Amino acid sequence: MKLLYGLSSSLADSYENAVIETIKFAIQNDFKVVEIFCETPDVLPDEISDGKIREIRELANSYNLRIQLHAPFHSLNLSSFNPKIKNVSMKIIRDTISLAYKLESSLVTLHLGLCFLPCQLDRKKALTILADSITDLLKFAKNYNITLAIENRGGRLDLGRLEDLLFILETVSHENLGITFDVVQANAVGDPLIYYESLKGNIVNMHISDSPRGKSLLLAVGEGEINYRELVRRIIKDNINVPLIFEVSNKDKAIQSRAVLEGYFKEIKSD
């Protein structure tokens, strides 16, 4: 078993050309996966040019680099009580799925939505709306052989706490549904190891950064207080061979984080 390291394009220096910059950096530094953050101007779903799609696909394929997508999430709400807002959110996720297919990607990460006042008054209804939205999106994604990975979140208004994810996993068909386990988001609201144990059977992707307890900063692994040594031990024990995507504040911290995780990996494997 080897750990599979990747980068989020959110750590690029250039906002206008973030994806190509990240892909080139990944190739130069032997990262195997790039997760495209679909909020930058060059890769907005349904607006990206055919030429840019072809450039990304050909560059990635020429170096056997895996591409996966992170759907837009600012202002999107798959659990909205307002059908118009929910439908716009659904369209943007569908557009992201279609883009993933054009880029020969098989994984799209998405956020579940936001819990504003209506949701706070009737969270059960919000989760029911959310389950219906996810079900429809899974049917659409299945046509393209794409897995949807719902991400845990720790923000005050975010849906995506552990209980929300477990509700979706229990309510919705699992065939092409997985979890993107964001370690630092779990750290913001609890113990990441508890999240991991509860979700490990469904984890298909991980977001990696470090932070002090109770916070969600984008520090390099080893700069915060998350017990990554124990997390790596459990990943090895459970044979969780999924992309470890570094969502840190810059590219140097990604290099630093990989070195720390690889050190833990070698120590544990040699025991």
Side-chain angles (χ1 to χ4, degrees):
M1 176 184 177
K2 293 184 178 180
L3 298 183
L4 182 62
Y5 300 110
L7 302 168
S8 167
S9 65
S10 63
L11 54 70
D13 297 320
S14 169
Y15 185 66
E16 299 293 333
N17 196 37
V19 175
I20 297 302
E21 177 190 325
T22 306
I23 289 174
K24 289 181 177 179
F25 182 81
I27 292 166
Q28 293 164 0
N29 292 277
D30 199 30
F31 288 93
K32 302 302 183 184
V33 188
V34 166
E35 182 171 286
I36 297 175
F37 176 52
C38 295
E39 293 271 13
T40 53
D42 55 336
V43 288
L44 287 175
D46 201 34
E47 294 187 19
I48 181 174
S49 69
D50 291 341
K52 177 64 75 170
I53 291 171
R54 185 166 55 253
E55 181 185 13
I56 293 169
R57 186 177 61 234
E58 291 178 355
L59 183 58
N61 286 345
S62 63
Y63 289 92
N64 198 29
L65 185 72
R66 184 188 302 186
I67 296 293
Q68 56 192 48
L69 272 60
H70 193 308
F73 58 86
H74 292 124
S75 303
L76 271 64
N77 194 356
L78 297 173
S79 64
S80 178
F81 285 35
N82 184 327
K84 291 183 179 180
I85 293 174
K86 190 196 80 165
N87 290 339
V88 168
S89 300
M90 294 276 285
K91 180 186 183 302
I92 292 171
I93 302 300
R94 289 193 191 98
D95 289 342
T96 308
I97 293 166
S98 298
L99 175 58
Y101 177 74
K102 293 174 184 177
L103 290 171
E104 300 177 2
S105 170
S106 61
L107 181 70
V108 173
T109 290
L110 63 143
H111 293 188
L112 295 178
L114 300 164
C115 192
F116 295 120
L117 184 60
C119 165
Q120 293 168 20
L121 294 175
D122 192 348
R123 194 179 186 92
K124 183 176 180 180
K125 180 179 178 180
L127 289 172
T128 299
I129 294 170
L130 176 61
D132 289 342
S133 298
I134 295 296
T135 297
D136 288 347
L137 290 170
L138 286 168
K139 291 176 182 177
F140 182 80
K142 186 178 178 182
N143 295 327
Y144 298 95
N145 293 317
I146 287 173
T147 295
L148 298 184
I150 56 176
E151 182 179 345
N152 62 291
R153 301 295 299 165
R156 185 174 60 87
L157 293 176
D158 283 322
L159 288 171
R161 302 294 176 95
L162 181 57
E163 59 270 22
D164 300 331
L165 299 182
L166 293 175
F167 174 83
I168 295 298
L169 291 172
E170 292 167 1
T171 306
V172 176
S173 171
H174 285 41
E175 186 173 350
N176 57 325
L177 174 65
I179 297 290
T180 286
F181 174 44
D182 190 307
V183 181
V184 83
Q185 289 292 322
N187 178 73
V189 291
D191 184 347
L193 295 175
I194 292 175
Y195 267 70
Y196 171 82
E197 288 298 328
S198 299
L199 299 170
K200 64 184 180 182
N202 299 97
I203 293 173
V204 295
N205 188 44
M206 294 177 66
H207 288 167
I208 304 295
S209 56
D210 209 341
S211 187
R213 291 186 183 89
K215 296 184 179 180
S216 57
L217 305 182
L218 300 178
L219 304 178
V221 174
E223 291 183 339
E225 297 179 305
I226 296 174
N227 188 353
Y228 269 104
R229 185 189 302 273
E230 177 59 22
L231 182 59
V232 170
R233 189 190 69 77
R234 296 189 191 193
I235 288 171
I236 294 169
K237 177 177 69 71
D238 299 324
N239 196 31
I240 305 293
N241 191 21
V242 303
L244 306 178
I245 304 296
F246 294 115
E247 276 195 338
V248 287
S249 58
N250 59 57
K251 289 176 284 190
D252 287 342
K253 288 186 183 296
I255 296 285
Q256 180 181 338
S257 296
R258 180 176 62 181
V260 174
L261 291 186
E262 193 64 16
Y264 293 156
F265 177 79
K266 290 177 180 178
E267 287 176 16
I268 293 164
K269 291 290 285 185
S270 65
D271 286 347

